Amino acid sequence: MIGIQLYSGYGGQANPDGIVITGMTTTSKKFKTKSGMGIGNTKDELINAYRNYPHFNVNPAYDEQTGKSLKQAGYFTLEDDDAGTQLIFKLTNNIVTEITVYINEGC
């Protein structure tokens, strides 16, 4: 499965009122990063693969209703400021269960 996030609005000079793809998400084991990471890899494998990447972070996930952190869920995020993108690995019990590529152009 691949999910696509869309933004309806200003899409730059070439597409001022258009619809822009801002991200894609998958839970399929068929997709891997250049480093071979994908669904089923562990948090430790992500850290080993990306330990020298200039900007990564690991954060807990939060329950949207209570605002409390979820002990069994979190996110491992790689940010590329030059490209304006994020690669986000959703973790459940320290195993990758979802991958998202997202445009992060900032404000």
Side-chain angles (χ1 to χ4, degrees):
M1 181 209 61
I2 296 177
I4 298 174
Q5 292 89 33
L6 300 173
Y7 170 76
S8 179
Y10 185 70
Q13 291 179 346
N15 195 10
D17 296 318
I19 296 174
V20 178
I21 295 174
T22 58
M24 294 190 297
T25 301
T26 187
T27 56
S28 173
K29 291 185 176 189
K30 293 180 180 181
F31 297 94
K32 301 278 184 189
T33 67
K34 282 177 122 180
S35 299
M37 296 292 103
I39 304 301
N41 284 104
T42 66
K43 180 169 79 172
D44 288 341
E45 289 171 327
L46 290 174
I47 290 170
N48 285 334
Y50 298 113
R51 74 174 57 249
N52 294 320
Y53 195 81
H55 190 195
F56 75 87
N57 58 59
V58 182
N59 297 305
Y62 291 91
D63 183 296
E64 292 181 20
Q65 294 180 357
T66 66
K68 294 182 180 179
S69 71
L70 300 171
K71 293 180 183 179
Q72 74 280 8
Y75 297 93
F76 182 98
T77 304
L78 299 169
E79 294 191 42
D80 185 335
D81 294 332
D82 292 334
T85 59
Q86 291 181 325
L87 178 60
I88 304 165
F89 298 89
K90 181 178 180 181
L91 301 163
T92 304
N93 295 319
N94 292 320
I95 304 293
V96 177
T97 57
E98 182 179 277
I99 303 170
T100 300
V101 177
Y102 189 74
I103 294 173
N104 183 29
E105 294 182 290
C107 296

